[in-house]
C-alpha cells in the first residue's frame, strides 16, 4: 500500500492532481484554468530541479545515463552522457538553457488557447495565483524533507536530476494536445476534464516510477 511518508515526492504528485480534480468537480475549473495551473506546475518543478542540481554532491556514471540528445540554447545537439563529471554550475546552465525553451513554448501554446479555440474563456487569475502558491509550498516541503532531510543529494547526480523532469514535461504536452480534442468537439463537459486529470495523474505516476524526481535513479546502487 502506498505510504506518502515513504515517498514525499510521489505524495506531492498525487496531492497536486487530487487538488486539480477537486477543482474541476467542486469548483468548476474550466479547461484553460486547468492547463495554466499545469503549466505553472511544470515551471515550479523546473525551479525545484535547478535547486537540487546546485546542491547535488553525487557523481553521475555515464554508462547508467540514457543516451539522450538535447539542444541547449545557443548550442548544437549533445548527448547527456557528455555532461557526466561536469561541474554543477555547468549542468545547471545546460538544464536551464534546455528546459526554458520547452517551458516557454508550452506556455505560449497554453496561453493562446482562448484565442485559438472558440468558446474557451481565459483562466481565472485568482485560481492560478492560489495554485502557484500551493504548488511552490509543496515542492519546498519536498525539497527540505526528502532531498535534504533524507540526504538524497548524496545519491543523485546533477545530470540524472537534469533529465528527470522531461517525462513530466512530455506528459503535459500530450495533455494539452489531447485535452483540446473533446473541447473542440463537445465544449467543456466536466466528464472530459475529469478524464483528462485522471489520465495526467496516471502518466505522472508512471513517469515518477521510471525515475521521475524521486531520487531513485541510477545513482542509488545496492550496497
Amino acid at each position: 500500500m502506498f505510504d506518502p511518508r515513504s515517498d514525499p515526492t510521489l505524495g506531492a504528485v498525487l496531492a497536486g492532481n487530487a487538488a486539480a480534480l477537486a477543482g474541476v468537480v467542486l469548483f468548476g475549473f474550466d479547461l484553460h484554468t486547468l492547463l495554466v495551473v499545469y503549466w505553472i506546475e511544470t515551471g515550479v518543478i523546473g525551479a525545484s530541479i535547478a535547486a537540487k542540481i546546485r546542491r547535488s554532491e553525487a557523481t553521475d556514471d555515464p554508462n547508467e545515463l540514457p543516451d539522450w540528445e538535447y539542444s541547449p540554447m545557443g548550442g548544437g545537439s549533445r548527448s547527456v552522457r557528455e555532461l557526466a563529471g561536469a561541474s554543477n554550475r555547468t549542468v545547471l546552465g545546460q538544464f536551464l538553457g534546455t528546459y526554458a525553451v520547452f517551458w516557454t513554448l508550452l506556455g505560449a501554446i497554453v496561453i493562446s488557447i482562448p484565442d485559438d479555440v472558440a468558446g474557451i474563456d481565459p483562466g481565472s487569475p485568482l485560481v492560478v495565483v492560489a495554485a502557484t502558491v500551493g504548488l511552490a509550498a509543496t515542492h519546498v516541503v519536498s525539497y527540505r524533507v526528502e532531498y535534504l532531510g533524507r540526504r538524497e543529494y548524496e545519491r543523485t547526480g546533477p545530470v540524472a536530476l537534469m533529465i528527470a523532469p522531461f517525462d513530466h514535461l512530455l506528459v503535459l504536452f500530450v495533455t494539452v494536445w489531447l485535452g483540446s480534442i473533446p473541447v473542440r468537439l463537445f465544449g467543456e463537459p466536466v466528464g472530459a476534464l475529469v478524464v483528462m486529470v485522471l489520465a495526467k495523474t496516471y502518466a505522472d505516476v508512471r513517469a515518477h516510477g521510471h525515475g521521475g524526481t524521486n531520487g531513485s535513479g541510477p545513482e542509488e546502487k545496492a550496497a
Side-chain angles (χ1 to χ4, degrees):
M1 181 179 295
F2 167 66
D3 181 357
R5 293 172 298 180
S6 67
D7 193 341
T9 302
L10 182 54
V13 168
L14 294 175
N17 282 287
L21 183 61
V24 170
V25 175
L26 301 178
F27 302 106
F29 282 16
D30 54 35
L31 175 70
H32 195 239
T33 296
L34 195 60
L35 293 181
V36 171
V37 169
Y38 282 160
W39 174 62
I40 290 175
E41 176 190 14
T42 307
V44 171
I45 289 173
S48 173
I49 290 294
K52 291 180 178 181
I53 290 173
R54 290 191 60 184
R55 184 66 177 84
S56 174
E57 296 179 3
T59 301
D60 293 286
D61 182 345
N63 295 321
E64 295 185 343
L65 294 170
D67 190 17
W68 289 0
E69 290 191 353
Y70 71 103
S71 299
M73 188 181 299
S77 179
R78 299 182 58 182
S79 169
V80 295
R81 292 180 176 178
E82 297 176 25
L83 285 172
S87 68
N88 289 28
R89 181 186 296 273
T90 297
V91 175
L92 178 59
Q94 296 294 296
F95 170 71
L96 293 176
T98 305
Y99 198 81
V101 171
F102 284 97
W103 190 71
T104 302
L105 175 61
L106 182 59
I109 295 171
V110 169
I111 292 172
S112 68
I113 286 177
D115 295 327
D116 297 338
V117 182
I120 302 298
D121 295 324
S124 166
L126 181 60
V127 171
V128 171
V129 169
T132 300
V133 173
L135 288 167
T138 297
H139 284 278
V140 168
V141 170
S142 177
Y143 179 86
R144 298 284 300 180
V145 172
E146 183 174 6
Y147 193 70
L148 298 182
R150 298 188 178 188
R151 306 181 74 86
E152 183 186 319
Y153 58 88
E154 296 180 346
R155 303 187 301 273
T156 310
V159 183
L161 287 165
M162 169 184 167
I163 64 178
F166 284 93
D167 279 340
H168 186 91
L169 198 62
L170 177 61
V171 166
L172 190 52
F173 263 111
V174 173
T175 299
V176 169
W177 288 115
L178 295 184
S180 66
I181 294 175
V183 172
R184 290 176 185 273
L185 295 176
F186 308 113
E188 294 186 83
V190 170
L193 297 180
V194 168
V195 170
M196 188 176 74
V197 173
L198 294 178
K200 177 181 176 293
T201 303
Y202 174 75
D204 279 346
V205 171
R206 281 186 59 86
H208 178 88
H210 285 87
T213 55
N214 65 344
S216 57
E219 290 72 18
E220 292 187 4
K221 298 181 175 66

